Amino acid sequence: MTTPSSAPHPLDISEPPGSSGSSRGDTPAAVPAPYGPHGARDRADGSPRPGLFKAVYADPPWTPQQTSRLGAASHYPLMSTQRILDMGPAIQEITADQSFCFLWVTTATVETGFAVLRAWGYRYVSYYFWAKPRISLGNTFRNAGELLLLGVRGKGTTVAFHSQPNWGFHPLQEHSHKPEEVHQIIERLVGGDGPFLELFARRAAPSNKHWDIWGNECDATISLAQWGYPIPSDHTPTRHQAEEPSREEGSK
């Protein structure tokens, strides 16, 4: 995605997260940025209300071992590990006290993924393995899959579905495109209709349940700008005005 020159880029913001925002429970100053069908759940600037999301699903643009000609840097801008860790205050504010985090990691960022879960307020409990139909790169083992870490928050937080295997064989699509089936796995495990949040999304969730999306390459439905993470969609305030019926009614 080409970032408009007039919009701040989310990956190179020098201002520390939280310096322009407020603490949990405060209401930021109103701005003329209607967020359409999400208005009942969002604050005036498009940031979600505290404790809103039952689950967060993230596929960060990791930097480690991704800067070579064959790495992810040739496909999209990367984010430093520190910037990903520093999203913690935002994630902790907008997710529920009892909630889940599903985090994709690369071979080089498994250990870092555990640190990100902790920074975002979650404790690691398990993983899901995406088995791929071909062998790819690797300095030791040749990679033939990816790991999705599962973190939980809150005492007594349990899954709603207890028969989900921790691996699946799914086809490859374009670079970094994760299996659509994972959204349905998340919905089964978490239970209910949401709301759920996908971070670093590229497209709308393949679901008729209540998913919000945020990322540099999608038409985001929320804003994290008050925590120091602006994206191009923050600068198109009328982008959702034509979206009807309401997502609260289970429609896209």
Side-chain angles (χ1 to χ4, degrees):
M1 176 177 181
T2 302
T3 304
S5 58
S6 60
H9 197 284
L11 307 183
D12 57 8
I13 296 298
S14 58
E15 182 180 16
S19 59
S20 61
S22 58
S23 59
R24 182 168 183 143
D26 293 338
T27 302
V31 295
Y35 276 67
H38 302 271
R41 301 203 307 268
D42 295 344
R43 292 178 285 195
D45 65 347
S47 60
R49 297 181 185 278
L52 177 64
F53 295 108
K54 296 171 61 178
V56 57
Y57 174 45
D59 183 19
W62 301 105
T63 294
Q65 297 187 14
Q66 296 297 326
T67 57
S68 68
R69 179 177 59 85
L70 299 177
S74 63
H75 297 274
Y76 46 75
L78 305 180
M79 182 180 284
S80 71
T81 297
Q82 191 59 54
R83 285 286 284 158
I84 296 171
L85 289 165
D86 286 346
M87 296 181 76
I91 304 307
Q92 292 189 46
E93 177 169 337
I94 65 179
T95 49
D97 291 336
Q98 288 188 310
S99 57
F100 299 82
C101 182
F102 300 82
L103 179 70
W104 286 106
V105 294
T106 64
T107 302
T109 59
V110 173
E111 186 173 0
T112 303
F114 297 139
V116 169
L117 286 178
R118 292 191 295 270
W120 290 7
Y122 294 91
R123 64 183 186 277
Y124 168 77
V125 293
S126 192
Y127 67 88
Y128 180 82
F129 181 72
W130 168 23
K132 298 181 178 180
R134 75 179 183 197
I135 295 175
S136 59
L137 303 176
N139 294 321
T140 51
F141 293 116
R142 296 290 296 276
N143 297 324
E146 291 189 48
L147 279 177
L148 179 69
L149 305 183
L150 171 58
V152 300
R153 175 190 301 146
K155 184 177 181 180
T157 304
T158 60
V159 298
F161 180 70
H162 294 273
S163 297
Q164 176 64 51
N166 73 336
W167 74 280
F169 187 79
H170 308 293
L172 288 169
Q173 301 180 72
E174 68 266 23
H175 179 86
S176 193
H177 189 144
K178 300 303 188 288
E180 278 77 6
E181 292 85 351
V182 174
H183 289 83
Q184 283 69 55
I185 291 173
I186 292 171
E187 291 169 0
R188 282 197 297 271
L189 290 176
V190 177
D193 290 333
F196 312 102
L197 172 63
E198 181 174 357
L199 298 174
F200 309 104
R202 292 177 173 175
R203 58 193 67 81
S207 172
N208 61 2
K209 295 191 177 183
H210 300 163
W211 281 87
D212 281 281
I213 57 174
W214 177 89
N216 194 41
E217 298 183 76
C218 70
D219 187 17
T221 60
I222 67 165
S223 172
L224 300 181
Q226 70 150 305
W227 292 280
Y229 290 84
I231 53 174
S233 288
D234 293 330
H235 299 268
T236 54
T238 61
R239 64 192 185 282
H240 296 299
Q241 288 179 329
E243 291 186 8
E244 295 294 341
S246 169
R247 285 272 295 278
E248 293 297 329
E249 299 172 353
S251 302
K252 287 287 184 188

